[in-house]
Amino acid sequence: MKRLLPLLLLLLFLTPALAEDDHAALFLSAHPGWEIVSADTNGGTAAAILAHESEQTLCIAERANGAWVLTADNPNALRTDAIGSYTVAVAAEDSVSWALCHPDWEVEEICGVVRQDGTWWMSPLIFKADWNGNPHAETVLLWRDGKLTRTEELRDQSGALTSAETLMPLPASWLDSMTSLPAFDANLLPAFSANSGELDYSRCIVSAAGELLPDYAYVGGALLDDELQLLMDKPDGTRVFVGVIWDNGWQLTESAPLPADARYGNENFTDYLYIPGTGTIGVRHWPDGSWGVNYLMPDDGEIMLLGQNYVSDGYVVWAETLLVGDHPWSDLKAIDWSTLPRTTDEARARIDHTNWAMVNNPNPEDRLHLRSEPDRNSATNGKYYNGTFVRVLEQKDGWTRVNAFGLEGWMMTDYLAFGKDMETVQRALAPWSVADTLSVSGKSAILHALTGDAVLRTFDGEAIVLSVIGDWFHVWLEETGESGFVRQEELWPGNG
């Protein structure tokens, strides 16, 4: 017994030191009765996710002078309404990340911190998706200079970046106060919605509305790739639509007064304006900076798409019948909301097709030259398909000078339809899709400027081919209203 006594005394002396060297014990001593659901360590840094009933918290410990010290403990770093489970990883002694994996979607929401000058600072917030083995899609969120920036990235199976698109940022000066881990609150940031399969920015939209229009009351809104839409009540109670774009500063456009019962979204279309008695209304901005109505689904009428051929300062209306001409719903600042049409006939009555024409060959499979001069022997600027609508600039000697989606030239008048005759043209226009050679590799088609071959943007959807010139297509992106040149090899008439 005398021989065992010194050993027992030594063990009693070492027990506190052993506890201090056990980071798991440290985490549990800070949260008695809780459970460690995920943990990782790397060198002198350890991190864990602890849970107790419906509560969770993120803890980080660092080794100092041979013992573990708790340096971060923030339950707000984890979403209180999280669907799925969190895991934590320590990539290096100065880098910790935690990921929320959604059970019904192959989506990860990843947060991280890096340690600098003794403080854990937040890294970019990343949302990753892997849809059935397709290229990885990532949305990277950063807060800097009072803005929440958004970048959509595509990566191949090896993780290599194949494309990146910068989206509309959000005003978010409130984020400047929560860039360190102790102040970070994940519940204030965009969240993945298991219902829609997309990011839900509703919290951020409300905050942005208050920052941009502090004297207005927020009613509803939506954030799209390149614009922010807000429905607001002015101090005098007048309800207005406010469109916001970012162009080296916030550009706000306020509509004419809306009916007092206008709201944002209904049970079927949450990203659209809705006026009872009129219907669902889509609003967007055009590349020239103006805002107009681009979609109508009346409660008791026909679905119509209203567009802007902004390149030539004219407007078109789409329904089951293609109506070409100027319409009075293109400028939200002066719009009379009570005049929105419910049927094609109502739209037709308001269309002014003066100074518009449409390519109309006797054989719809033929194409019409856009000549540089009013002469059949002059250079061609492309051969245009039946149904291509053009702005008429002047006429002389059997020729018509036109603007064809940004390109000016001459077309033979005999092969153009004017006025109401445009509705009878057998159109040959059809949407073409991005070629499989690009989509399989996770790449996008490139839209080039009409002059100078400058890159305007990349796109993954459909483009309407207007004409062919050399190895290029002159295309129109109906969704955005943009036009430009795309190499023929990048498109495929799969939906044509």
Side-chain angles (χ1 to χ4, degrees), residues 387-452:
T388 301
F389 45 89
V390 296
R391 168 73 80 173
V392 174
L393 303 177
E394 66 173 297
Q395 291 183 311
K396 70 175 183 179
D397 302 328
W399 290 85
T400 301
R401 188 166 70 89
V402 302
N403 183 309
F405 287 84
L407 289 182
E408 292 190 10
W410 296 83
M411 290 180 168
M412 297 182 69
T413 304
D414 286 346
Y415 300 104
L416 293 173
F418 299 86
K420 294 182 178 179
D421 291 342
M422 290 187 284
E423 295 186 36
T424 65
V425 172
Q426 187 174 348
R427 301 193 301 275
L429 298 178
W432 288 44
S433 301
V434 174
D436 289 343
T437 53
L438 294 181
S439 58
V440 170
S441 63
K443 297 182 179 179
S444 305
I446 301 175
L447 183 70
H448 295 261
L450 298 174
T451 57

Side-chain angles (χ1 to χ4, degrees), residues 2 24 34 164 283 300 341 387 460:
K2 291 182 179 180
W34 287 45
V283 179
D300 56 355
D460 303 311

Side-chain angles (χ1 to χ4, degrees), residues 198 221-224 229 264-266 268-273 281-283:
E198 300 178 349
L223 177 65
L224 307 180
Q229 299 187 3
Y264 209 87
N266 56 24
N268 296 317
F269 298 93
T270 58
D271 290 342
Y272 291 86
L273 278 174
I281 303 164
V283 179

